[in-house]
Amino acid sequence: MESLFKDPHQLSPKAIRSLIRKGKWDRPTAGLAMGYAQANLVILSEKYAFDFLLFCQRNPKPCPLLEVLEAGEYRTRFLSQEADIRTDIPRYNIYREGKLEATVKEIKGLWRKDFVTFLLGCSFSFEEALLRAKIPVRHIEQNKNVPMFISNISCKSSGIFHGPMVVTMRPIPSHKVSRAVQITSRYALVHGAPVHIGDPSLIGIKDLKRPDFGDPVTIKKNEVPVFWACGVTPQVIVMEAKPNLCITHTPGHMFISDLLNEELAIF
Amino acid sequence: MESLFKDPHQLSPKAIRSLIRKGKWDRPTAGLAMGYAQANLVILSEKYAFDFLLFCQRNPKPCPLLEVLEAGEYRTRFLSQEADIRTDIPRYNIYREGKLEATVKEIKGLWRKDFVTFLLGCSFSFEEALLRAKIPVRHIEQNKNVPMFISNISCKSSGIFHGPMVVTMRPIPSHKVSRAVQITSRYALVHGAPVHIGDPSLIGIKDLKRPDFGDPVTIKKNEVPVFWACGVTPQVIVMEAKPNLCITHTPGHMFISDLLNEELAIF
């Protein structure tokens, strides 16, 4: 347990993954390895892999692919050269027929040769960029989960995968909305620019105080609600498609990569 | 034949596709439907579809996917809502075991239910943007094909698909190189920003006067050679992989979409 005497927030991605692999860190990863990209995880049988890959290609804002591993492959090659996808994530959700069956700390025993692994970008990366530009991120200020809403924006379907886009909302001061668009445009691999700015009812959201997931946050007088595509979308889509087995990270318990957020920026 | 009395360069994408469908236009498409995106075509059996889709995900600069059609589907949904991929391209190349077998004007008779269609971005889109910004595009000035080189940059492999990146070279005046980077960065779906700027030998190119494909162009004293990922890459990669059957457009004879280049710009 000696490593835990150090502040885990000071550890490198590799050191944190090593703790996670040994079962010594099974908590959320927000705030760890600042500057490094974290990723969402979806594991599906090969049977669904083409359709899900195509779903991501058609819906790059909610489903920005950072890396896809071939069937049976559990070692990453691009996000890290030494990570093991079966052990290096703090908590995994096991879904059967779309229902959460268990939450576990590793999936070595469940691993199958037909598993295809998808790692998708996470908004932590662009939130760091917003904060660096002194753009407030309300749920971080208020120590809450980001508010998420099921919008009426349809994803483009692919095979069994179809459904609405989930969006996150961040209230941004009117005079900083342009800057927030510019900054997040650089991060197309972590949801990119907003999908909607302003009146929530136009995308089917009735009440900003009642998010579908996460917590409500304060919106000030001079602020505009700004909506980004959310990484919960692929999870909701996959759950609705009810594949016989699907493994994801447990929300908030992400894969920590060796890539700097800056390396993901598209320009 | 009445439509041909009009200048074809003034026709809409829909009108040109209609001419092509009737077999009345089987020439190159450069300069047609200015402002609209044109696309490269690759058709493969379902057997190779996941690997090729993953190859494109891993190599977005040479292989920028604009649209992928599910197995058996020959009607586009996003690039146009009324195009038929079997008839709406002026000329098709039929490759068996990696060898060019025939060049044909339509592929209705060859169509199979296991065919998966990939449409990829084409540099015509960003060249138009460069010209609008008064950045010279030498091969257009000299009425030649763009010079293309097989570089020593390796693509990331996927299944049977692997090989070097093919690049195009455009000489850009030194003081306009920054602007050329900025402009083409907006067009990530049509190869995006350059992959290399300056000394060709650093990417394995020995002689700019001897391109592997296309024509050599003049480089002036004040100009820097600037290299972009090239849409010939996927064709070379697919030919080297030698699938039993592959259908592509004939180089230069592209699919003309209903999307404006501006609609493809990522910011």
Side-chain angles (χ1 to χ4, degrees):
Chain A
M1 294 293 283
E2 65 287 358
S3 317
L4 277 181
F5 289 114
K6 281 194 199 168
D7 178 358
H9 295 85
Q10 304 305 317
L11 295 176
S12 70
K14 186 175 177 172
I16 298 169
R17 284 197 307 268
S18 170
L19 279 185
I20 292 170
R21 195 175 305 159
K22 292 172 188 158
K24 293 179 180 170
W25 182 277
D26 62 355
R27 285 179 284 149
T29 52
L32 295 181
M34 288 299 279
Y36 288 91
Q38 300 197 15
N40 297 288
L41 174 77
V42 174
I43 299 174
L44 285 166
S45 157
E46 200 170 13
K47 183 163 69 159
Y48 306 109
F50 177 78
D51 285 347
F52 188 66
L53 184 54
L54 185 51
F55 185 84
C56 294
Q57 189 272 327
R58 290 185 175 162
N59 300 282
K61 284 205 160 185
C63 308
L65 285 172
L66 296 182
E67 179 163 5
V68 181
L69 307 182
E70 276 99 343
E73 192 54 64
Y74 48 78
R75 295 205 174 270
T76 56
R77 286 162 61 196
F78 308 124
L79 289 180
S80 166
Q81 298 199 350
E82 60 93 57
D84 184 331
I85 227 62
R86 305 169 305 172
T87 54
D88 290 8
I89 286 160
R91 298 200 79 87
Y92 301 81
N93 281 1
I94 318 294
Y95 294 88
R96 290 199 197 263
E97 312 288 348
K99 280 197 178 163
L100 181 64
E101 184 188 73
T103 293
V104 298
K105 286 169 73 168
E106 52 100 349
I107 54 167
K108 269 186 155 170
L110 286 170
W111 190 258
R112 290 191 339 217
K113 285 204 168 156
D114 69 328
F115 278 175
V116 176
T117 296
F118 299 84
L119 291 155
L120 301 106
C122 156
S123 56
F124 290 172
S125 300
F126 79 67
E127 289 178 345
E128 203 171 293
L130 290 172
L131 290 171
R132 271 204 311 272
K134 296 187 187 162
I135 294 176
V137 180
R138 185 62 32 77
H139 65 276
I140 295 179
E141 288 173 1
Q142 300 190 329
N143 202 20
K144 290 179 172 177
N145 273 331
V146 66
M148 292 166 262
F149 302 88
I150 300 173
S151 76
N152 67 7
I153 303 168
S154 286
C155 291
K156 290 172 181 166
S157 63
S158 167
I160 60 169
F161 303 107
H162 62 92
M165 190 187 295
V166 181
V167 297
T168 53
M169 189 283 293
R170 293 167 188 79
I172 306 289
S174 286
H175 68 290
K176 292 194 169 179
V177 172
S178 283
R179 193 79 190 112
V181 170
Q182 290 170 333
I183 289 167
T184 55
S185 293
R186 296 188 68 222
Y187 298 93
L189 291 173
V190 291
H191 305 308
V195 292
H196 184 74
I197 297 171
D199 184 354
S201 72
L202 295 175
I203 55 168
I205 298 172
K206 286 185 188 141
D207 186 352
L208 288 179
K209 294 192 198 78
R210 300 181 61 184
D212 295 296
F213 314 102
D215 305 313
V217 297
T218 308
I219 305 180
K220 298 179 186 169
K221 271 259 175 207
N222 68 333
E223 291 176 338
V224 178
V226 179
F227 300 88
W228 278 267
C230 175
V232 166
T233 310
Q235 292 212 14
V236 167
I237 295 286
V238 168
M239 294 315 103
E240 284 193 8
K242 297 187 177 48
N244 49 7
L245 179 62
C246 175
I247 301 175
T248 70
H249 66 290
T250 299
H253 300 63
M254 318 298 282
F255 175 73
I256 300 174
S257 84
D258 290 335
L259 281 194
L260 290 166
N261 292 323
E262 273 315 290
E263 293 179 272
L264 289 184
I266 53 168
F267 64 94
Chain B
M1 292 294 283
E2 63 289 356
S3 317
L4 278 179
F5 290 115
K6 281 193 201 170
D7 178 359
H9 294 85
Q10 303 305 318
L11 296 175
S12 70
K14 186 174 175 174
I16 298 168
R17 284 196 309 268
S18 170
L19 279 185
I20 293 170
R21 195 176 305 158
K22 292 173 188 157
K24 293 179 181 170
W25 182 276
D26 62 355
R27 285 178 283 149
T29 52
L32 295 182
M34 289 298 280
Y36 289 90
Q38 300 196 16
N40 297 288
L41 172 77
V42 174
I43 299 173
L44 285 165
S45 157
E46 200 170 13
K47 181 164 71 160
Y48 306 110
F50 177 78
D51 285 347
F52 188 67
L53 184 54
L54 185 51
F55 184 84
C56 295
Q57 189 273 327
R58 288 183 175 163
N59 300 283
K61 283 204 161 186
C63 308
L65 285 172
L66 296 182
E67 178 162 6
V68 181
L69 306 183
E70 278 98 342
E73 192 54 64
Y74 49 78
R75 295 206 172 270
T76 57
R77 286 162 61 196
F78 308 125
L79 289 181
S80 166
Q81 298 198 351
E82 60 93 57
D84 182 332
I85 227 63
R86 304 169 304 170
T87 53
D88 290 7
I89 286 160
R91 298 198 79 86
Y92 301 80
N93 280 0
I94 316 295
Y95 294 88
R96 291 201 196 261
E97 312 288 348
K99 280 196 180 164
L100 181 63
E101 186 188 72
T103 292
V104 298
K105 286 169 74 169
E106 54 99 348
I107 55 166
K108 270 186 153 170
L110 287 169
W111 190 259
R112 291 192 337 218
K113 284 204 168 157
D114 68 328
F115 278 175
V116 176
T117 297
F118 300 83
L119 291 155
L120 301 104
C122 156
S123 57
F124 290 172
S125 301
F126 78 68
E127 289 178 346
E128 203 172 294
L130 290 171
L131 290 172
R132 271 205 310 273
K134 296 186 189 162
I135 294 176
V137 180
R138 186 61 33 78
H139 64 277
I140 295 179
E141 289 174 359
Q142 300 191 326
N143 201 20
K144 291 179 171 177
N145 273 331
V146 66
M148 293 167 261
F149 302 87
I150 299 173
S151 76
N152 67 8
I153 304 168
S154 286
C155 291
K156 292 174 180 164
S157 64
S158 167
I160 60 167
F161 302 107
H162 62 91
M165 190 187 297
V166 180
V167 297
T168 53
M169 189 282 292
R170 291 168 189 79
I172 306 287
S174 288
H175 69 289
K176 291 194 169 177
V177 172
S178 283
R179 194 77 191 117
V181 170
Q182 291 170 332
I183 288 167
T184 55
S185 292
R186 297 187 68 221
Y187 297 92
L189 291 174
V190 291
H191 307 307
V195 293
H196 185 73
I197 296 171
D199 185 354
S201 71
L202 295 174
I203 55 169
I205 297 171
K206 287 182 188 142
D207 186 353
L208 288 180
K209 293 192 200 76
R210 299 180 61 184
D212 294 297
F213 314 101
D215 305 312
V217 296
T218 308
I219 304 180
K220 298 179 186 169
K221 270 261 175 207
N222 68 333
E223 291 177 337
V224 178
V226 179
F227 299 87
W228 279 267
C230 175
V232 166
T233 310
Q235 292 212 16
V236 167
I237 296 286
V238 168
M239 294 314 102
E240 283 193 10
K242 297 186 178 47
N244 48 8
L245 180 62
C246 175
I247 301 174
T248 70
H249 66 291
T250 299
H253 300 63
M254 320 296 284
F255 175 73
I256 299 175
S257 84
D258 290 336
L259 281 193
L260 289 166
N261 292 323
E262 274 314 291
E263 293 180 270
L264 289 183
I266 55 169
F267 64 94

